[in-house]
Amino acid sequence: MPFMAAGPDAAGALPDGGGGTTKLKVQPDKVLQLKRELEDVRDEVQTFLRNEAEGLKARPQGADPVSQDAAKAISENADTAIEVADAYVQRLTAVIDALDQAAKTYGLVEDTNTVDFRQRS
């Protein structure tokens, strides 16, 4: 498993969104893999929000009050979903940044660049 829940003294504490912290313990050889996977997820959610967020909102199907109220309720729910997804992207970015820092601490960035360079040669 590339990561697991860690005890209270573990490095890499991240805000949990509720005033506390969540801690991950990532095996050093899995840091870059996990970072790439989280970047892919973050990018996918960002792309969805950029391309589809406006389409989640409803437009009234008629001029009657029921259609107006239904469209308003659906749009409010869509706004909430968009806000939550945006917060998720921000949290993922914080985790990615922490993993990037861990990679630098472990000296993994240079190792990866060297391996990539050798593979391209």
Side-chain angles (χ1 to χ4, degrees):
M1 177 162 58
F3 61 92
M4 63 187 122
D9 297 327
L14 298 168
D16 70 1
T21 57
T22 300
K23 296 173 176 50
L24 284 187
K25 183 176 180 182
V26 181
Q27 297 169 1
D29 62 328
K30 301 294 185 185
V31 169
L32 293 174
Q33 174 189 347
L34 180 59
K35 180 179 176 265
R36 280 190 299 272
E37 290 174 7
L38 293 178
E39 286 171 333
D40 290 345
V41 171
R42 180 200 55 199
D43 294 347
E44 187 175 335
V45 174
Q46 282 179 322
T47 298
F48 177 83
L49 287 173
R50 183 175 48 251
N51 296 335
E52 306 295 338
E54 196 58 36
L56 296 175
K57 298 179 183 182
R59 286 153 190 75
Q61 297 298 306
D64 61 286
V66 172
S67 294
Q68 299 288 325
D69 290 344
K72 181 181 176 191
I74 291 169
S75 292
E76 287 172 356
N77 285 339
D79 287 337
T80 300
I82 292 165
E83 288 173 18
V84 169
D86 187 54
Y88 177 64
V89 166
Q90 291 174 22
R91 297 279 317 273
L92 279 175
T93 299
V95 172
I96 290 164
D97 291 346
L99 289 169
D100 186 57
Q101 187 59 45
K104 289 176 184 172
T105 299
Y106 292 136
L108 298 174
V109 176
E110 293 80 12
D111 293 345
T112 300
N113 291 340
T114 301
V115 169
D116 287 346
F117 179 76
R118 287 181 184 159
Q119 288 177 348
R120 292 180 191 172
S121 299

